[in-house]
Each structure stands twice: as C-alpha cells, then as structure tokens.
Amino acid sequence: MASIFSKIIEGSIPSVKIDETENEIAFLDIMPCAEGHTLIVPKKEVERFEDMDPQDTASLMVFLHRIAKAVSSAFGGVDYNVILNNGVQAGQEVMHVHYHIIPRTERSSRMFGNRKNASTEELQKTAEQIRKFLN
Ligand code: AMP
C-alpha cells in the first residue's frame, strides 16, 4: 500500500508544499513541533534510509540543504534540528524515508513535546514565508 507521503506526492492527499524537484518534495508537518517544521521526502518510496540508492541520498541532501537554509532565513536565522527517524524504535511512524527540519529557540522543548494541530491557514502563511527565501 502506498504510504501517506506517496499519496501527498501523487496529489491524492493535500499538503502545504514548500517546493519540489523531480526527485524530492518539501511540505509542512501537519502536527508541527515548532512553526516552520518541514518534512523533506524522496519521491521514490523506500522505508529505510540505508535502503535508498546512494545517488538518491546525494540528491536528497542537496535538496535538504537548500530548504533548511530557507526555513532558517524565514525565521531570522533561527537554529534548527535535522532529524531522520529510521525505524519504529527510532520513532518512525510513516514508513517512507523523510527528514524533519525543526526550528529551535531558547524556549523550545528539545523533544517532540508541546505540539498542537495547526490550521491549514496557519500552515499556508508559514509556507509562504519560507518560499520567499528559496533561491
Ligand atoms: P516520523 O515519526 O519521523 O515518521 O514522522 C512522521 C511525521 O509525519 C509526523 O511528524 C507527522 O506529524 C507527519 N505527518 C503525518 N501525516 C501527515 C500529513 N498528511 N501531512 C503532513 N505531515 C504529516
């Protein structure tokens, strides 16, 4: 069965997209740890990071680097975590490789606590802000 991220990629499930290439997509996490929490997903569905084609990981990293720069710039050069939960014991819930970019401030909790659902309107506004910093 296709993962929820494959459904987002094919367009059968909505998302608040930041950007995409032929091989990757970036969209906002629906249950953000912080404003700007962004997911970076390879379009080819692979469950585990080490099972990806190495060439695809190189492409993914270039895309991740570009989006991370835009997310940080969008919030005044904010600090951030880049996290990849690989496998259930590592906290992976969606079995389709993805990186999280999570903005962090002094007041941030360090783990996935204090989250609440964001409205599509709030997410759209945030996505617009990040897109301005894409180059
Ligand atoms: P992980 O625990 O690393 O597998 O993270 C999966 C992430 O996907 C979680 O932070 C979820 O909030 C997020 N997520 C699940 N479904 C959606 C969706 N439809 N749109 C955006 N983010 C989602």
Side-chain angles (χ1 to χ4, degrees):
M1 202 179 82
S3 74
I4 193 157
F5 292 165
S6 287
K7 289 178 183 162
I8 285 173
I9 290 159
E10 75 189 20
S12 60
I13 287 185
S15 71
V16 177
K17 188 170 74 176
I18 302 292
D19 197 20
E20 67 182 312
T21 63
E22 192 187 338
N23 300 315
E24 300 91 12
I25 187 168
F27 52 88
L28 292 177
D29 197 296
I30 203 167
M31 203 189 285
C33 294
E35 190 181 14
H37 182 166
T38 302
L39 299 176
I40 306 293
V41 185
K43 290 187 176 175
K44 200 187 290 174
E45 184 176 334
V46 177
E47 190 169 313
R48 295 182 66 84
F49 182 67
E50 68 271 25
D51 294 333
M52 287 183 69
D53 180 324
Q55 294 299 329
D56 292 343
T57 67
S59 173
L60 183 64
M61 192 53 66
V62 170
F63 185 70
L64 167 67
H65 179 262
R66 179 165 165 269
I67 302 299
K69 208 167 164 180
V71 170
S72 179
S73 298
F75 299 99
V78 76
D79 293 341
Y80 55 90
N81 291 120
V82 173
I83 297 172
L84 186 153
N85 296 327
N86 201 49
V88 172
Q89 298 309 323
Q92 186 177 7
E93 290 175 359
V94 176
M95 307 318 273
H96 181 154
V97 171
H98 55 281
Y99 280 97
H100 298 255
I101 300 169
I102 307 174
R104 296 296 191 190
T105 66
E106 214 173 294
R107 296 185 311 281
S108 302
S109 60
R110 290 287 169 264
M111 297 302 284
F112 281 49
N114 292 328
R115 307 170 78 185
K116 60 177 175 29
N117 279 299
S119 69
T120 303
E121 195 180 85
E122 285 173 294
L123 295 175
Q124 289 287 11
K125 214 173 130 204
T126 302
E128 207 173 288
Q129 193 175 348
I130 294 170
R131 280 191 219 107
K132 282 189 217 152
F133 290 84
L134 291 173
N135 52 37

